């Protein structure tokens, strides 16, 4: 089968590995000009452990494992430690935390020869007919596939084109999370301080040679253009 996967994140790359291993001709399109490596670390647990093992990536995932929980300390507004996580939390072979960028690179390196990855390309129109799925891309190109997989995130274009407006499928949980790189951060004993006060949390999550600012706040739905980074 000729299969199109929209999105080269963790889900899209994983789907491409498995579909390619089954002998299908797979094309992955990604609207960015690079792999999606930014974001928070990812937990791999439960059934994902055995799936990663069958995919042949579990050994490499374990090699890049991190443990941020043992270094988390909750502080007050003056920086005084008021609480710490128990030492044994997160200490489980059935729960692996790995940087998103490491997991993405591992999956990318395991793409088979029948998988083609195209950057700066995305789906703009879909016509699901009896003879296949006709797809128009933002570049103007048109092609036909036997199957289209939408792995393009929470604001999925494939889902919107196929089923309708995303508001019908998203359930706002009442809070927002924002992350930012801290390239000049240098830990001084308290590696991952977290400051929480009603409705808000601000903290630092450091691992390997990387550090992220973590900002969380409660809020009703905010109507903004998520493509607008300034907004």
């Amino acid at each position: 089968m000729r299969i199109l996967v929209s999105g080269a994140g963790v889900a899209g790359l994983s789907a491409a590995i498995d579909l390619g291993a089954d002998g299908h001709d797979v094309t992955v399109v990604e609207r960015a000009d690079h792999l999606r490596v930014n974001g928070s670390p990812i937990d791999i647990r439960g059934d994902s452990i055995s799936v990663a093992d069958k995919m042949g990536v579990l050994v490499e995932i374990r090699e890049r494992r991190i443990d941020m929980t043992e270094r988390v300390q909750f502080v007050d507004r003056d920086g005084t430690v008021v609480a710490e996580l128990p030492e044994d939390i997160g200490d489980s072979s059935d729960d692996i935390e790995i940087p998103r960028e490491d997991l993405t690179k591992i999956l990318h390196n395991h793409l088979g020869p029948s998988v083609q990855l195209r950057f700066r390309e995305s789906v703009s129109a879909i016509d699901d007919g009896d003879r296949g799925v006709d797809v128009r891309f933002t570049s103007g190109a048109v092609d036909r596939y036997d199957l289209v997989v939408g792995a393009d995130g929470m604001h999925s274009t494939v889902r919107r084109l196929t089923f309708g407006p995303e508001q019908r499928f998203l359930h706002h949980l009442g809070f927002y999370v924002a992350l930012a790189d801290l390239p000049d951060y240098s830990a001084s004993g308290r590696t991952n301080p977290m400051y929480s006060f009603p409705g808000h949390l601000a903290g630092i999550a450091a691992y390997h040679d990387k550090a992220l600012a973590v900002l969380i706040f409660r809020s009703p739905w905010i109507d903004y253009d998520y493509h607008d980074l300034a907004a």
Side-chain angles (χ1 to χ4, degrees), residues 4-203:
L4 174 67
V5 177
S6 176
V10 170
L13 294 175
S14 298
I17 291 173
D18 290 342
L19 292 169
D22 281 342
H24 300 294
D25 179 8
V26 182
T27 298
V28 183
V29 292
E30 168 57 52
R31 67 183 181 88
D33 61 358
H34 57 274
L35 288 173
R36 298 285 191 169
V37 297
N38 55 320
S40 61
I42 295 176
D43 285 318
I44 299 175
R45 60 168 72 101
D47 292 338
S48 299
I49 300 291
S50 60
V51 171
D53 190 21
K54 293 177 181 177
M55 292 173 64
V57 298
L58 183 57
V59 172
E60 293 175 68
I61 287 174
R62 290 192 185 280
E63 290 174 349
R64 298 299 294 169
R65 179 176 187 166
I66 58 174
D67 185 5
M68 294 191 298
T69 57
E70 66 179 10
R71 298 179 291 173
V72 170
Q73 293 180 314
F74 291 92
V75 300
D76 62 17
R77 63 189 303 168
D78 298 318
T80 303
V81 177
V82 296
E84 297 184 71
L85 294 179
E87 292 184 0
D88 59 349
I89 190 171
D91 184 20
S92 171
S93 61
D94 297 327
D95 190 346
I96 305 172
E97 190 169 17
I98 181 174
R100 185 181 299 264
E101 57 267 34
D102 289 352
L103 179 57
T104 300
K105 291 174 183 176
I106 290 171
L107 295 174
H108 176 256
N109 291 339
H110 279 262
L111 291 176
S114 64
V115 178
Q116 177 188 8
L117 176 57
R118 291 159 50 187
F119 292 108
R120 296 182 180 178
E121 186 67 284
S122 58
V123 176
S124 62
I126 296 176
D127 183 10
D128 187 4
D130 296 334
R131 295 182 298 169
V133 186
D134 291 315
V135 178
R136 180 177 296 277
F137 297 97
T138 53
S139 65
V142 177
D143 210 337
R144 175 173 293 169
Y145 299 90
D146 299 297
L147 178 71
V148 174
V149 178
D152 42 359
M154 181 172 63
H155 302 291
S156 171
T157 298
V158 170
R159 182 186 60 210
R160 174 177 55 80
L161 292 172
T162 306
F163 300 110
E166 67 174 25
Q167 288 80 1
R168 294 165 50 187
F169 307 100
L170 296 184
H171 175 64
H172 182 55
L173 296 178
F175 67 96
Y176 284 86
V177 179
L179 303 175
D181 284 323
L182 295 175
D184 300 323
Y185 176 73
S186 178
S188 57
R190 187 170 53 242
T191 309
N192 290 334
M194 299 288 168
Y195 172 46
S196 179
F197 59 102
H200 306 78
L201 180 143

